Amino acid sequence: MKVIGAGLPRTGTTSMKAALERLGFAPCYHMVEVMTHPDHVDHWLEAAAGKVRTREDWDRVFADGYEAEVDWPASFYWRELAETYPEAKVILTVRDPHKWYPSIRMLLSGENRPAPSDEMPEEIRRLFGTMQRMRPALDQMGGALFGPGWTFGTDLADEELVVAAFNRHVETVKQSIPAERLLVFDVREGWEPLCAFLGVDVPAGEPFPHLNDAESMRQAFERMKAGDMSGFPLDRPGS
């Protein structure tokens, strides 16, 4: 593990996955890995139960050669990973928290997600089954961020509470990781600060990837309601 993502979901993590892999830190772990490898759920249920503690345990979680991670579930364990892999650099992805709020609300509250049904294609039903198995881990992550008692699918109606949780997370990471080891990064900044931090060359003539914006996610949910799996895992270009 060479790069540890400490940013919350919906802070450009899909773009970061693409960027890091383009820079050679591949593969990069992201929630899409859970969606496409349902057996990975077992790792995160064990982590949620406190059974993933040692370097050997974490090496087993990332046994397929992952050199970086961003997004939940892995980024939830940024502190443990930073301690386990002391040579790895840490990237905290950020954005305007008031713009982050509607995006994370759409993702976690469930209002726009279709309900599973027997009419859906088998592939989509399997995806729902995988995420349902992840519920104990996701509930733990959300409860730690938004407060005890929050469960996946509960509406995040209080914007100020959610924004405060975002700001609290950012400050905790900044206070916990030495400045020379940490990059606080907004994906709108592009290649230059990221490449300088990682000590790699800027890809010549290539735009920084901007993927999976909120509108793309909304459209993907609409397609799922119609039984169309395109766009999942969410990876469509966005602004």
Side-chain angles (χ1 to χ4, degrees), residues 61-235:
V61 171
F62 300 114
D64 292 333
Y66 294 97
E67 294 191 4
E69 64 80 7
V70 294
D71 200 53
W72 282 359
S75 68
F76 178 75
Y77 297 96
W78 61 270
R79 192 189 302 272
E80 293 88 339
L81 294 174
E83 293 174 355
T84 300
Y85 302 102
E87 300 304 316
K89 295 187 175 183
V90 181
I91 300 176
L92 172 62
T93 45
V94 295
R95 62 185 294 192
D96 181 327
H98 288 281
K99 293 182 178 178
W100 174 77
Y101 166 69
S103 187
I104 197 69
R105 185 183 185 188
M106 182 188 300
L107 178 66
L108 298 183
S109 295
E111 180 179 348
N112 293 285
R113 291 196 308 273
S117 70
D118 292 339
E119 288 74 34
M120 285 184 169
E122 176 62 24
E123 186 178 5
I124 297 179
R125 293 202 302 273
R126 283 199 302 270
L127 174 60
F128 273 106
T130 296
M131 299 313 294
Q132 184 61 33
R133 286 193 63 223
M134 276 289 290
R135 278 292 298 271
L138 294 171
D139 287 348
Q140 182 189 75
M141 294 172 197
L145 181 63
F146 302 118
W150 185 89
T151 57
F152 187 71
T154 302
D155 188 17
L156 295 169
D158 188 336
E159 180 173 353
E160 292 308 312
L161 181 150
V162 176
V163 168
F166 180 96
N167 290 332
R168 190 165 55 246
H169 174 77
V170 168
E171 289 306 310
T172 299
V173 176
K174 289 166 68 174
Q175 293 172 18
S176 302
I177 303 296
E180 65 273 13
R181 191 185 178 192
L182 176 67
L183 174 66
V184 181
F185 182 64
D186 186 320
V187 295
R188 294 176 301 175
E189 298 176 74
W191 290 117
E192 283 74 13
L194 177 63
C195 293
F197 177 68
L198 295 175
V200 297
D201 294 333
V202 173
E206 292 186 34
F208 190 90
H210 291 286
L211 308 174
N212 191 14
D213 68 323
E215 178 59 20
S216 295
M217 183 170 66
R218 187 194 65 75
Q219 292 176 7
F221 283 145
E222 289 300 319
R223 286 192 297 273
M224 279 190 72
K225 291 177 183 179
D228 179 359
M229 193 65 178
S230 63
F232 278 82
L234 294 168
D235 60 1

Side-chain angles (χ1 to χ4, degrees), residues 19 22 27 57 82 148 237:
R22 170 61 184 85
D57 293 336

